[in-house]
């Protein structure tokens, strides 16, 4: 019962009934009051016209017949029956010379005076500047009533018509609202059922998103949310599989060496211990990388910010990779076109980002290639852009869109010689974003790739321009 009462369709119908009731009540009150006012005005004008006709009738008898009243009595009796009025005509001395209800009053009291509480109204008839006759009018209390239909019937008929039309309109409106609301709520009902199935784990649920109204927008939003949830679930499963894969390799190696030592197949000498130690270090780095990503995504990553020279950080990082570049016969250059004010950054984290980009460039740049590192002004006023461009193998567009995803590696075989665990670029993106910056990549197959990230200045820092510096 509670669900039925609280349903949207019932609430829509209840709201319509309430609005219709208030509207009809307002219209009825206004129309009834206006009709009554018009009826009262019409009755007033009709009474005035009747009084004028009665005045003309009495004046004609009094002035043309010099007080002869023989024909006056039948005339006012007829007028009294016609207009539903008690007409009394008195002369200047106050004597009654005509009474439309003469016979009735003679039978009841023998007096033509009105009953107590009755308020007569009338008018004098003057001749020669003096009053010769007074006419008194009041509503008749005869049971047969006037021959003319009373105007009050119009108001009563109008009120009845409003009442009947209100009931008819209410019934038709409720039926129409019920049909329209049921039709309109079909997408909502469908969406509710799909949301329930989605909540139970069926992430492939989708609904028709036709229409441009609010319900259509809600359906499109639901489909987008379902797609995001499905994609997130797939990424979660992939991440779990990737973590298991990355952890299994060093753990398997450690297990193998330890079992071999237990079986006496391998001597627990310095070489074996060094190999196991290297696997433990790799495992520790992997766990630390995962912790770092989780902290950055949760917004709990702590940064040790201090004013640092971005040129000095880039130069130090480049020099740290120069020996490896020389050994691979890859040209490594640094271009500094201008100087910048110190940035409030975490020195270790920014050098980690630059090191990741340089390591990635060296991994995918063959012998005889080149890597160029530059520091320039960013597209937004006050930003600093660090770029690492190589002449390596490049990436296809579908690969480029996933290079910052966790555990993604361009080499489907996942050979460790072509890269690490696939977390470096993900960590680099999270670290740049933690500093309020952005990172992006562009690439062309067989031409090379370009990675660049922008770091914002603090409001107190201003860029200064000095002579270019190269190394």
């Amino acid at each position: 019962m509670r669900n039925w009462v609280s349903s949207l369709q019932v609430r829509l119908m209840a709201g319509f009934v309430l609005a219709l009731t208030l509207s009809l009540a307002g219209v009825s009150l206004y129309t009834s009051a206006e009709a009554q006012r018009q009826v009262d005005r019409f009755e007033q004008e009709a009474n005035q016209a009747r009084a004028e006709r009665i005045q003309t009738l009495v004046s004609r008898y009094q002035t043309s017949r010099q007080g002869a009243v023989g024909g006056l009595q039948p005339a006012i009796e007829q007028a009294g029956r016609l207009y539903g009025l008690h007409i009394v005509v008195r002369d200047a001395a106050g004597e009654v010379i005509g009474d439309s209800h003469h016979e009735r009053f003679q039978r009841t009291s023998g007096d033509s005076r009105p009953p107590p509480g009755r308020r007569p109204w009338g008018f004098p008839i003057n001749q020669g500047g003096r009053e010769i006759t007074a006419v008194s009018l009041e509503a008749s209390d005869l049971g047969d009533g006037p021959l003319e239909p009373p105007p009050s019937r119009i108001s009563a008929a109008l009120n009845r018509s409003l009442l009947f039309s209100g009931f008819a309109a209410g019934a038709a409106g409720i039926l129409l609202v019920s049909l329209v609301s049921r039709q309109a709520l079909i997408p909502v009902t469908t969406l509710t059922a799909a949301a329930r199935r989605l909540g139970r784990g069926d992430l492939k649920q989708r609904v028709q998103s036709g229409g441009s109204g609010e319900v259509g927008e809600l359906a499109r939003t639901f489909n987008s949310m379902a797609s995001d949830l499905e994609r997130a679930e797939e990424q979660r499963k992939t991440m779990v599989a990737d973590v298991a894969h990355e952890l299994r390799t060093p753990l398997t190696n450690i297990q193998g060496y330890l079992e071999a030592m237990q079986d006496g197949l391998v001597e627990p000498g310095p070489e074996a211990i060094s190999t196991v130690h290297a696997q433990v270090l790799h495992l520790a780095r992997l766990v630390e990388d995962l912790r770092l990503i989780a902290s950055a995504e949760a917004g709990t990553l702590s940064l040790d910010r201090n004013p640092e020279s971005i040129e000095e950080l880039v130069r130090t990082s480049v020099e740290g990779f120069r020996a490896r570049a020389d050994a691979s016969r890859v040209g490594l250059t640094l271009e500094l076109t201008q100087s910048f004010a110190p940035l409030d950054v975490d020195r270790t984290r920014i050098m980690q980002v630059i090191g990741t980009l340089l390591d990635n460039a060296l991994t995918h740049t063959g012998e005889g290639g080149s890597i160029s590192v530059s520091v320039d002004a960013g597209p937004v006023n006050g930003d600093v852009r660090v770029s690492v461009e190589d002449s390596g193998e490049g990436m296809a567009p579908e690969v480029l869109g996933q290079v910052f995803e966790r555990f993604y590696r361009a080499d489907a075989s996942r050979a460790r010689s072509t890269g690490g665990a696939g977390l470096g670029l993900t960590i680099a993106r999270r670290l740049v974003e933690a500093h309020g910056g952005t990172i992006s990549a562009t690439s062309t197959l067989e031409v090379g790739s370009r990675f660049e990230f922008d770091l914002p200045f603090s409001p107190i820092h201003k860029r200064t321009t000095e002579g270019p510096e190269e190394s």
Side-chain angles (χ1 to χ4, degrees):
M1 180 65 179
R2 181 181 301 174
N3 292 336
W4 181 81
V5 173
S6 62
S7 67
L8 182 58
Q9 184 177 8
V10 172
R11 284 184 286 174
L12 286 174
M13 294 175 62
F16 171 79
V17 171
L18 179 61
L20 181 63
T21 301
L22 293 178
S23 300
L24 288 178
V27 171
S28 299
L29 291 175
Y30 174 78
T31 305
S32 179
E34 182 64 19
Q36 187 61 45
R37 189 177 68 85
Q38 294 296 332
V39 167
D40 293 341
R41 186 172 66 85
F42 177 76
E43 287 184 342
Q44 183 179 1
E45 293 176 353
N47 288 334
Q48 184 177 357
R50 293 167 185 169
E52 291 176 354
R53 287 195 290 271
I54 295 173
Q55 182 179 9
T56 302
L57 174 65
V58 175
S59 298
R60 185 174 62 206
Y61 279 96
Q62 291 298 94
T63 56
S64 63
R65 303 186 180 187
Q66 286 79 32
V69 296
L72 178 61
Q73 181 62 31
I76 62 175
E77 288 180 1
Q78 183 179 4
R81 289 192 300 272
L82 178 63
Y83 299 139
L85 294 174
H86 182 198
I87 306 172
V88 179
V89 182
R90 302 177 186 273
D91 60 12
E95 296 294 331
V96 176
I97 60 176
D99 190 337
S100 63
H101 293 36
H102 175 70
E103 295 180 358
R104 177 180 175 86
F105 279 97
Q106 287 292 335
R107 291 195 303 267
T108 56
S109 62
D111 190 0
S112 295
R113 290 177 296 176
R118 190 71 60 84
R119 289 187 177 183
W121 57 281
F123 48 84
I125 297 177
N126 300 321
Q127 184 179 8
R130 65 186 182 86
E131 181 179 327
I132 62 173
T133 305
V135 180
S136 176
L137 305 175
E138 62 178 290
S140 174
D141 57 358
L142 292 178
D144 51 0
L147 298 179
E148 294 180 350
S152 58
R153 292 182 182 178
I154 300 175
S155 178
L158 180 61
N159 289 334
R160 286 195 300 271
S161 299
L162 285 174
L163 182 62
F164 293 149
S165 62
F167 280 122
I174 291 175
L175 179 61
L176 183 61
V177 169
S178 177
L179 295 176
V180 173
S181 61
R182 178 175 297 180
Q183 185 67 26
L185 291 176
I186 288 177
V188 178
T189 305
T190 304
L191 189 63
T192 301
R196 288 197 183 100
R197 291 191 291 270
L198 184 71
R200 290 194 292 265
D202 186 3
L203 300 180
K204 295 188 178 298
Q205 286 296 314
R206 302 292 186 275
V207 295
Q208 293 183 354
S209 57
S212 58
E214 289 81 358
V215 176
E217 181 64 25
L218 179 61
R220 287 187 290 273
T221 303
F222 173 84
N223 290 339
S224 176
M225 178 193 68
S227 299
D228 293 341
L229 288 175
E230 186 176 16
R231 184 166 52 254
E233 179 64 14
E234 292 176 355
Q235 291 177 350
R236 183 189 68 81
K237 293 179 179 179
T238 302
M239 184 188 70
V240 171
D242 290 338
V243 170
H245 174 84
E246 294 298 332
L247 293 178
R248 183 174 62 244
T249 301
L251 288 176
T252 300
N253 292 337
I254 294 173
Q255 180 183 2
Y257 270 95
L258 291 177
E259 290 177 352
M261 292 179 187
Q262 287 180 339
D263 296 338
L265 300 177
V266 176
E267 291 294 333
E271 183 178 353
I273 294 176
S274 177
T275 302
V276 173
H277 182 257
Q279 295 298 320
V280 171
L281 291 179
H282 173 69
L283 189 61
R285 284 195 299 270
L286 180 61
V287 173
E288 176 60 21
D289 289 345
L290 291 173
R291 186 202 64 80
L292 180 61
I293 293 175
S295 299
E297 291 180 347
T300 59
L301 180 63
S302 177
L303 297 177
D304 184 17
R305 289 176 177 265
N306 290 291
E308 301 286 350
S309 169
I310 188 65
E311 299 97 323
E312 190 271 332
L313 293 181
V314 173
R315 184 184 295 108
T316 301
S317 299
V318 169
E319 293 303 323
F321 280 85
R322 190 170 296 282
R324 178 180 167 185
D326 293 341
S328 301
R329 298 183 180 181
V330 175
L332 179 59
T333 61
L334 172 63
E335 299 179 2
L336 300 175
T337 59
Q338 56 188 3
S339 297
F340 299 89
L343 301 178
D344 283 335
V345 296
D346 187 321
R347 177 186 182 89
T348 302
R349 298 305 185 185
I350 294 301
M351 291 187 67
Q352 182 179 356
V353 173
I354 301 171
T356 298
L357 299 183
L358 287 171
D359 179 74
N360 185 72
L362 283 170
T363 300
H364 296 282
T365 302
E367 183 178 343
S370 63
I371 298 175
S372 175
V373 182
S374 62
V375 180
D376 299 297
V380 179
N381 186 24
D383 286 0
V384 176
R385 169 167 292 180
V386 179
S387 303
V388 178
E389 185 174 6
D390 63 66
S391 61
E393 57 198 33
M395 293 177 287
E398 61 272 14
V399 175
L400 186 63
Q402 304 180 67
V403 292
F404 293 106
E405 298 295 331
R406 287 170 295 194
F407 294 104
Y408 182 80
R409 294 167 58 187
D411 187 356
S413 66
R414 303 185 61 86
R416 189 159 301 280
S417 60
T418 60
L423 295 175
L425 291 177
T426 303
I427 295 175
R429 182 183 65 176
R430 296 301 182 186
L431 292 177
V432 171
E433 291 175 350
H435 283 82
T438 58
I439 188 171
S440 60
T442 57
S443 183
T444 304
L445 277 175
E446 307 301 332
V447 175
S449 303
R450 179 184 178 90
F451 287 81
E452 54 191 20
F453 64 92
D454 300 332
L455 294 175
F457 269 108
S458 298
I460 60 173
H461 291 153
K462 296 182 180 179
R463 187 178 64 187
T464 59
T465 57
E466 299 178 0
E469 180 181 352
E470 297 183 359
S471 64

